[in-house]
């Protein structure tokens, strides 16, 4: 790349601000959108390096898609890129959720968003499936990775724990390459959760500690966040009701960007704008630290044959989880003939053109809103 090209930091800011404003559909969809923009359209890195970064985000706690954005920002523009990518990806969702929280407190309900999501979901499904095909060719490198990938997908669909699958995938690929047979392995999973206790008076300090802990220990899907929030804020501290919690999670789902911005909604309910800011910063801060510590280690892991085999196993297990999420998304997204048509049209455009996926998502949302409006 010549010196006349756009400044890398400005590129990082522009890309992740746009993705943060348009990336609906959860972590699997976010990763698929980033793959299309970073690997396919801009060629900032190759399939293998991108896949390694996906695997690395699955090995640390926190919001996977936000951490992947920070890894990509670091790869493109160094330490400033890490910070800018994270902030720009999270900020649009934070502002959107903050607006919903204000409307909720003022009017007592969330604005209607079902029509937009009706059209966005099938388009996101097409983006995810295209990314799965491309990444799958890089991840399934031999018989052990193929076997582990299929086994991880089957176990995930039967309800197996995500973290156990990732850890077992890494160990099994390493073991199978070494001995060509499956080695028995114990997979310990640490679970750090707040202890039981009586309801405590609210304070911003306590709020920060709750969300720092959640950001530092939450593995797996962003939807696991619901269990953490309920245990701490409803059961242990008594700051929220069950209905408040469900409405907060709904706000995170109907807005683009990471589901962790549910914390913004919760913080606003508890203490207005100061609470929203404290909760948002606290839940995302551990991920920044983990990415900063782990990013320099990823190339070294790849250089080691044994560690590289473990990473290959984690990568193929990660894609298996992504495939499982895609199946679940398909069942919720393709519900009738219009949504099937939207998914098919998006898939054709993705395969035959290099059209910016943000335009497809926006068009899907507009089409969904129009269909719902016309068929009422």
């Amino acid at each position: 790349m010549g010196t006349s090209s756009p400044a890398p930091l400005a590129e990082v800011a522009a890309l992740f601000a746009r993705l943060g404003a348009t990336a609906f559909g959860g972590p699997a969809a976010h990763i698929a959108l980033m793959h299309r923009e970073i690997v396919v359209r801009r060629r900032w890195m190759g399939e293998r390096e991108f896949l390694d970064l996906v695997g690395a985000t699955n090995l640390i706690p926190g919001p996977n898609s936000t951490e992947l954005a920070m890894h990509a920002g670091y790869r493109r523009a160094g330490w400033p890129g890490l910070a800018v990518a994270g902030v720009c990806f999270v900020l649009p969702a934070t502002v959107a959720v903050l607006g919903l929280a204000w409307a909720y407190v003022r009017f007592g309900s969330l604005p209607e968003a079902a029509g937009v999501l009706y059209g966005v979901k099938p388009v996101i499904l097409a983006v995810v499936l295209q990314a799965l095909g491309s990444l799958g060719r890089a991840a399934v490198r031999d018989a052990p990775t193929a076997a582990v990938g299929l086994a991880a997908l089957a176990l995930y669909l039967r309800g197996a724990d995500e973290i156990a699958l990732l850890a077992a995938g890494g160990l099994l690929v390493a073991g199978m390459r070494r001995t060509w047979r499956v080695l028995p392995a114990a997979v310990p999973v640490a679970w750090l959760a707040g202890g039981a206790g009586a309801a405590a008076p609210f304070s911003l300090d306590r709020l920060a500690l709750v969300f720092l802990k959640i950001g530092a220990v939450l593995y797996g899907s962003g939807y696991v966040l619901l269990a953490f929030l309920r245990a701490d804020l409803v059961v242990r501290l008594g700051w929220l009701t069950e209905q408040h919690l469900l409405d907060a999670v709904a706000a995170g789902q109907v807005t683009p960007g990471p589901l962790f911005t549910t914390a913004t909604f919760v913080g606003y309910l508890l203490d207005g704008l100061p609470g929203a800011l404290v909760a948002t910063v606290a839940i995302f801060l551990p991920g920044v630290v983990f990415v900063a510590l782990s990013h320099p280690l990823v190339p070294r892991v790849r250089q080691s044959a044994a560690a590289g085999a473990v990473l290959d196993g984690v990568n193929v297990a990660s894609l298996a989880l992504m495939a499982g999420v895609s199946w679940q998304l398909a069942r919720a997204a393709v519900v009738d003939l219009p949504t099937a048509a939207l998914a098919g049209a998006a898939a054709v455009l993705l395969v035959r053109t290099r059209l910016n996926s943000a335009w497809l998502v926006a068009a899907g949302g507009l089409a969904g809103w129009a269909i719902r409006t016309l068929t009422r």
Side-chain angles (χ1 to χ4, degrees):
M1 183 175 65
T3 56
S4 61
S5 61
L9 196 59
E11 287 183 287
V12 168
L15 173 61
F16 286 104
R18 179 169 58 74
L19 284 175
T22 59
F24 287 88
H30 301 168
I31 291 170
L33 290 167
M34 290 181 197
H35 170 265
R36 182 164 178 82
E37 294 294 335
I38 294 168
V39 178
V40 178
R41 297 188 70 242
R42 288 168 172 77
R43 303 187 186 277
W44 287 359
M45 64 183 75
E47 299 278 2
R48 186 70 176 279
E49 185 177 359
F50 183 84
L51 195 59
D52 283 349
L53 294 181
V54 172
T57 63
N58 280 291
L59 292 174
I60 58 177
N64 288 358
S65 56
T66 306
E67 290 169 343
L68 181 59
M70 290 188 282
H71 274 299
Y74 183 98
R75 173 67 177 77
R76 184 63 175 168
W79 292 108
L82 183 153
V84 167
V87 170
C88 288
F89 185 64
V90 170
L91 189 59
T94 301
V95 172
V97 171
L98 195 59
L100 289 179
W102 173 85
Y104 182 85
V105 170
R106 184 175 178 89
F107 303 113
S109 63
L110 294 174
E112 177 62 44
V116 173
L117 290 178
Y118 172 82
V120 163
K121 284 181 180 180
V123 174
I124 288 295
L125 175 64
V127 175
V128 172
L129 291 177
Q130 189 212 29
L132 272 174
S134 180
L135 291 172
R137 288 190 291 273
V140 181
R141 308 177 59 214
D142 49 25
T145 50
V148 167
L150 290 173
L153 175 59
L155 290 170
Y156 174 76
L157 292 175
R158 291 180 62 85
D161 180 80
E162 295 168 327
I163 307 308
L165 288 176
L166 292 171
L171 293 175
L172 288 173
V173 168
M176 291 167 75
R177 282 183 180 171
R178 194 173 184 85
T179 66
W180 283 96
R181 56 189 173 86
V182 176
L183 301 180
V187 183
V189 178
W191 181 265
L192 304 176
F202 172 83
S203 72
L204 284 176
D205 290 344
R206 287 193 180 97
L207 182 69
L209 288 174
V210 166
F211 282 104
L212 277 171
K213 184 199 73 175
I214 291 173
V217 303
L218 195 153
Y219 274 96
S221 167
Y223 297 103
V224 180
L225 179 65
L226 176 61
F228 276 83
L229 292 177
R230 184 180 183 278
D232 276 334
L233 300 178
V234 177
V235 177
R236 185 168 68 88
L237 295 171
W239 292 350
L240 293 180
T241 66
E242 298 278 4
Q243 187 59 51
H244 286 152
L245 178 60
L246 292 174
D247 289 341
V249 174
Q253 289 178 315
V254 302
T255 51
L259 185 61
F260 271 45
T261 50
T262 298
T264 307
F265 193 99
V266 170
Y268 191 90
L269 291 186
L270 293 173
D271 197 35
L273 186 59
L277 295 176
V278 166
T280 304
V281 171
I283 199 169
F284 284 104
L285 184 59
V288 177
V289 176
F290 288 132
V291 171
L293 293 175
S294 65
H295 187 92
L297 301 177
V298 176
R300 299 179 189 178
V301 168
R302 177 53 67 192
Q303 289 170 5
S304 163
V310 171
L311 186 56
D312 283 342
V314 171
N315 287 345
V316 77
S318 299
L319 283 187
L321 299 184
M322 193 170 167
V325 170
S326 299
W327 168 247
Q328 294 163 347
L329 177 61
R331 295 171 64 186
V334 182
V335 295
D336 52 24
L337 187 58
T339 50
L342 284 172
V348 170
L349 287 171
L350 286 168
V351 171
R352 300 184 61 134
T353 73
R354 296 182 66 180
L355 184 66
N356 191 316
S357 53
W359 291 112
L360 286 177
V361 172
L366 182 60
W369 175 82
I371 292 167
R372 281 293 179 90
T373 300
L374 293 172
T375 55
R376 279 178 180 170

